[in-house]
Amino acid sequence: SSGNRFRAFDSKHGRFGMLICEDVWHPSSSLILAQDGAFAIFTIAASVLKGVAGSEKPDNVRVWETQNRCFAQSFTSYYIFSNRVGVEDGLTFWGGSEIVDPHGHEVAKAPYYDEAFLVQEINWMQVKHARIHTPLLSDEKLNVVIEELERISTRKREY
């Protein structure tokens, strides 16, 4: 199930955020972490293989990868995606963990269906560069977003 709080945290390597499976599917989760100063967002998933029939790449694999690139670029943060791999109780977890830079480019990729240890040096200047040249976070009018979400939330309760 989804979480109910999103907070970036500091480490000796920088400021990070973490999302677990369901949390990733809500763009507001990544927006909050990026606005809270996260330079990288770790996303941990246990995605089961779906939509295999008649496609070169299963549907949900394609969706996860598209989302990782879109969110990395939209929120100008590294997206570090770690997905479960293997078979358990007849369910296939497809792996394919990856690191996507804040411009939406894949910088490291683990294989599908096989275990791997993925290591990649990260250049934090890429985040600063992306945030200067794509000022989506700094241009976001958080007060307007908050006010509008409160208005919508109130309206929904009235139904």
Side-chain angles (χ1 to χ4, degrees):
S1 65
S2 61
N4 59 7
R5 181 170 287 157
F6 304 103
R7 303 271 165 80
F9 59 92
D10 291 312
S11 79
K12 67 180 183 178
H13 300 292
R15 191 153 174 86
F16 302 112
M18 183 175 291
L19 299 173
I20 300 173
C21 216
E22 173 69 21
D23 298 332
V24 180
W25 291 98
H26 306 280
S28 56
S29 306
S30 292
L31 173 64
I32 291 166
L33 292 175
Q35 287 288 353
D36 199 17
F39 273 33
I41 298 173
F42 294 95
T43 60
I44 302 165
S47 181
V48 177
L49 196 61
K50 296 178 185 174
V52 178
S55 64
E56 188 174 307
K57 187 181 280 190
D59 292 342
N60 68 321
V61 173
R62 182 182 45 74
V63 169
W64 270 105
E65 291 174 346
T66 299
Q67 178 176 267
N68 291 342
R69 282 149 188 73
C70 177
F71 286 0
Q73 187 173 29
S74 295
F75 304 116
T76 54
S77 303
Y78 275 92
Y79 237 66
I80 302 169
F81 173 71
S82 178
N83 189 36
R84 186 174 176 184
V85 66
V87 177
E88 183 177 322
D89 294 331
L91 299 174
T92 300
F93 300 92
W94 51 272
S97 297
E98 63 182 358
I99 300 172
V100 180
D101 76 14
H103 298 285
H105 302 117
E106 173 189 302
V107 294
K109 181 75 172 170
Y112 302 116
Y113 315 113
D114 287 320
E115 292 182 22
F117 185 69
L118 193 60
V119 177
Q120 176 66 40
E121 187 172 317
I122 291 182
N123 179 353
W124 294 125
M125 290 305 292
Q126 288 285 331
V127 176
K128 289 182 180 186
H129 180 264
R131 290 183 179 179
I132 289 169
H133 290 88
T134 310
L136 299 173
L137 292 179
S138 63
D139 288 353
E140 188 74 51
K141 296 178 182 176
L142 291 178
N143 60 326
V144 173
V145 172
I146 291 165
E147 288 173 12
E148 291 302 307
L149 289 174
E150 285 176 349
R151 178 186 61 80
I152 292 166
S153 175
T154 302
R155 186 185 72 209
K156 285 188 176 186
R157 282 189 226 130
E158 292 173 1
Y159 293 127

